[in-house]
Amino acid sequence: MPIDAELLEILACPICKEEVKPVALSEERRAAVRDKFRDKFRGEEPVVEQGLECVKCHRVYPIVSDIPVMLVDEAFDQA
């Protein structure tokens, strides 16, 4: 499911404070994020397809089950 346009307008990279844009994640990256968040979803399988990439520093923040995870510790360098 695509991220809501209004939400996308207000989200910013927590490091650079620049805008973020949706990007597709590789299958390997999606699997890694799913594995990492599986325990937090109490038996449900987390859905991971996209991330949000900062236009300045290019860090990617995962979107897990339609929730952008905008935490510096959860970011990675490549989609």
Side-chain angles (χ1 to χ4, degrees), residues 51-70:
L52 295 172
E53 181 180 24
C54 175
V55 298
K56 183 176 179 184
C57 72
H58 301 287
R59 283 184 179 83
V60 178
Y61 300 89
I63 300 173
V64 182
S65 295
D66 296 329
I67 302 169
V69 182
M70 302 297 292

Side-chain angles (χ1 to χ4, degrees), residues 21-79:
K21 63 180 181 176
V23 293
L25 300 179
S26 69
E27 181 56 44
E28 182 178 299
R29 180 63 71 185
R30 289 187 294 191
V33 173
R34 266 193 310 268
D35 290 346
K36 185 173 188 174
F37 283 89
R38 188 170 281 126
D39 291 341
K40 295 176 172 71
F41 279 78
R42 299 184 185 151
E44 290 182 33
E45 186 67 15
V47 177
V48 180
E49 295 177 2
Q50 290 186 316
L52 295 172
E53 181 180 24
C54 175
V55 298
K56 183 176 179 184
C57 72
H58 301 287
R59 283 184 179 83
V60 178
Y61 300 89
I63 300 173
V64 182
S65 295
D66 296 329
I67 302 169
V69 182
M70 302 297 292
L71 301 171
V72 174
D73 291 343
E74 301 298 337
F76 41 89
D77 292 327
Q78 290 182 309

Side-chain angles (χ1 to χ4, degrees), residues 6-36:
E6 289 181 25
L7 177 60
L8 191 57
E9 282 184 33
I10 63 172
L11 289 175
C13 175
I15 296 172
C16 302
K17 311 299 185 229
E18 293 291 328
E19 69 179 282
V20 292
K21 63 180 181 176
V23 293
L25 300 179
S26 69
E27 181 56 44
E28 182 178 299
R29 180 63 71 185
R30 289 187 294 191
V33 173
R34 266 193 310 268
D35 290 346
K36 185 173 188 174

